[in-house]
Amino acid sequence: MSPKSVVVVSNRLPITIEKMEEEQWVNHSSSGGLVTAMGPVLRNRGGKWIGWLGVQEMPDDTSLNNLLSRSAEELGYALIPVNITGEEIEKYYHGFSNEILWPLFHDLLSNCNFDPQYANAYRKVNRKFAQAIAKGTHEKDYIWVHDYLLSLVARELRKIGAQRQTGFFLHTPFPPLDIFMKLPWRFEILEAALEYDLLGFQTERDTKNFLGCVRYLLKLKATGRKNIKTIVTKKGEVHIGTFPISIDFKEFAKSAAAEDVTQEVKIIRQNHENRHLILGVDRLDYTKGIPHRLRAFAEALACYPEMRGEIELIQIVVPSRVDVSSYQDLKQEIEALVGEINGRYTTGGWTPVHYMFRSVSRTELLAYYRACETALITPLKDGMNLVAKEYCACNIDENGVVILSEFAGAAAELHHGALLVNPYDIEKVSRSIHQAFSMELDERRKRMKKLRESICRNDIFHWVNSFLGASVKNPNNGPEVDFFVPSP
Ligand code: ADQ
């Protein structure tokens, strides 16, 4: 019998493919935190990754096989693509996932479009993922499913008669009962979630919210150990725990010190000589609170005239879901606010807001993390917010200040070193900008040291090990292989 291996299942595979001229396809491996962390668990151990290739027009069979074997060679594990049609992408991805679950899970009910047509496509695509798992994996494999797009996979596996041990990690927040109750499919989503063997959330608050919904709506109570709870359903036991996701801290710190980044930092500092630089980095998304942040920055300039000519906000917005009209509206709102602030305050030689709407290179991103005195991270709600952790890891001079939304998952861990704010409270955010601007070096160092120590201890490898560790502690569950990943 082949040994148990880990299989990761996520909406997207960790590669992007692109069609070049003459029908040639090329592949690029993604390099996000999850891909880095899962590498050692999957590589050379029969591991697999199942997901969508991100394109509607699939390559022909020969090109696809070539692409997949090239990627498998580069990554060290196999990729199994799930085919999703254009209509399914519309309804499962843009529809149910991003017009219903995404805003609802971020407490933004007014952004939800509960279109009943979306639910069927969501079920159908979750079924497709289950079929790909059933076909491409062994009964003894451990299936680790990621995120709100795939909450029904364990249920669909059972329905098609495929027995697997499964874990699910939710990268977004989980909302409180009052909000979750509004979901027309609330029972279905909760009951399906309880078909996984292990459920992981980002923060204690998310776990409590989930358990509260289960208790109230399904009349099921959790019992058990402090950090891992157990719920007994008709189908068996489900374990539930909190596993805050993190980053490859040492890799970020090492790359931030490298020569290319150091050169780029010099250029940024020369271009903004003697200025206190405040950094915002976000995907274009209404959950990130960019307009609120710009208003708070404008308020700070209005209330603290001594900061005029001294501070500059560098706001990087990474294009995302740009074909969706509400995202286009958000972009326009941001650009109008940037224009207003600059129109009002710019003087010869000083521009208060520097705005970039593009995906910057990794070298540039790390250089901005290193070069800016303050990070202004004010999502209205966020599962974790890795930018906050990356900023600290790259702050190798240990003198930066983090202003952080109390509604980012990261606040649970970083509250002792960051300046916590309510992003809706424009005056408080503006005061915190002033506090960061005026903070003595000693205090900045003390705070940043604490932040860096905590992120270094709880890095992405710790996250993988604790999730998979919790799955092994379940009797009969979890992968058999020695999958623990040493933090390099
Ligand atoms: P996101 O909503 O995408 O993730 P976040 O956690 O901040 O939010 O991660 C963004 C990532 O994009 C960071 O790793 C960052 O380095 C990268 N990035 C930012 N700007 C970039 C740029 N200009 N070019 C290239 N890359 C850039 C979701 C949830 C979060 C949760 C994560 C992980 O919404 O709450 O923290 O998953 O679970």
Side-chain angles (χ1 to χ4, degrees), residues 33 102 106 147 169-173 202 245 247 252 281-283 287-288 316-318 358-362 365 369 382-388 390:
W102 177 264
H106 287 86
D147 231 357
F169 183 76
L170 183 68
H171 289 255
T172 67
Q202 298 269 30
I245 199 168
I247 57 166
F252 270 99
V281 181
D282 311 83
R283 260 187 323 102
T287 60
K288 302 293 181 184
I316 303 173
V317 179
V318 187
R358 62 185 165 86
S359 184
V360 294
S361 71
R362 188 173 158 82
L365 180 66
Y369 283 153
D382 216 332
M384 180 53 58
N385 195 294
L386 295 179
V387 168
E390 292 169 7

Side-chain angles (χ1 to χ4, degrees), residues 87-88 91-92 117-126:
E87 196 192 340
E88 285 164 353
K91 294 181 181 164
Y92 141 83
Q117 292 186 58
Y118 294 161
N120 257 336
Y122 186 77
R123 292 183 194 110
K124 199 167 151 201
V125 174
N126 273 253

Side-chain angles (χ1 to χ4, degrees), residues 396-453:
I396 50 178
D397 301 319
E398 299 197 321
N399 56 7
V401 182
V402 178
I403 302 175
L404 182 62
S405 163
E406 55 193 86
F407 308 127
E413 269 175 280
L414 306 185
H415 61 95
H416 48 273
L419 302 178
L420 288 197
V421 292
N422 169 357
Y424 293 96
D425 183 348
I426 303 289
E427 287 174 340
K428 167 72 179 162
V429 178
S430 131
R431 281 200 300 281
S432 298
I433 292 173
H434 186 253
Q435 190 184 348
F437 172 75
S438 332
M439 196 182 284
E440 295 294 340
L441 182 61
D442 261 10
E443 185 177 349
R444 281 191 271 143
R445 281 205 191 291
K446 230 185 328 185
R447 286 172 175 270
M448 186 47 79
K449 264 188 193 308
K450 277 192 203 161
L451 294 172
R452 285 170 54 83
E453 276 164 18

Side-chain angles (χ1 to χ4, degrees), residues 41 69 139 168 191-192 240 251 274 292 303 325 401 459 473:
V41 183
S69 49
E139 207 166 278
F168 177 82
E191 280 163 357
I240 296 128
E251 209 286 318
N274 296 326
H292 297 70
C303 294
S325 74
V401 182
D459 66 3
K473 280 177 203 136

Side-chain angles (χ1 to χ4, degrees), residues 155-166:
R155 181 190 75 179
E156 293 305 318
L157 277 170
R158 177 186 49 81
K159 281 190 178 171
I160 60 175
Q163 276 266 339
R164 297 290 184 280
Q165 298 299 336
T166 55

Side-chain angles (χ1 to χ4, degrees), residues 148-262:
Y148 61 103
L149 304 106
L150 299 174
S151 67
L152 308 179
V153 167
R155 181 190 75 179
E156 293 305 318
L157 277 170
R158 177 186 49 81
K159 281 190 178 171
I160 60 175
Q163 276 266 339
R164 297 290 184 280
Q165 298 299 336
T166 55
F168 177 82
F169 183 76
L170 183 68
H171 289 255
T172 67
F174 193 87
L177 176 67
D178 277 357
I179 302 238
F180 186 75
M181 290 269 283
K182 311 294 187 316
L183 180 67
W185 304 273
R186 57 200 184 179
F187 289 105
E188 180 177 357
I189 294 286
L190 275 192
E191 280 163 357
L194 293 180
E195 296 213 22
Y196 287 96
D197 297 302
L198 173 67
L199 289 170
F201 297 92
Q202 298 269 30
T203 66
E204 289 294 339
R205 179 164 52 192
D206 301 313
T207 305
K208 276 195 187 128
N209 284 346
F210 178 79
L211 294 177
C213 290
V214 169
R215 199 169 49 240
Y216 185 83
L217 292 168
L218 303 182
K219 313 285 178 241
L220 291 172
K221 260 191 164 173
T223 55
R225 283 180 284 150
K226 197 168 165 258
N227 50 350
I228 303 284
K229 302 281 182 212
T230 303
I231 294 180
V232 182
T233 70
K234 281 184 204 140
K235 294 176 197 81
E237 280 190 352
V238 193
H239 300 270
I240 296 128
T242 304
F243 307 94
I245 199 168
S246 195
I247 57 166
D248 185 352
F249 178 91
K250 289 182 187 136
E251 209 286 318
F252 270 99
K254 191 170 136 219
S255 302
E259 191 48 35
D260 57 340
V261 174
T262 306

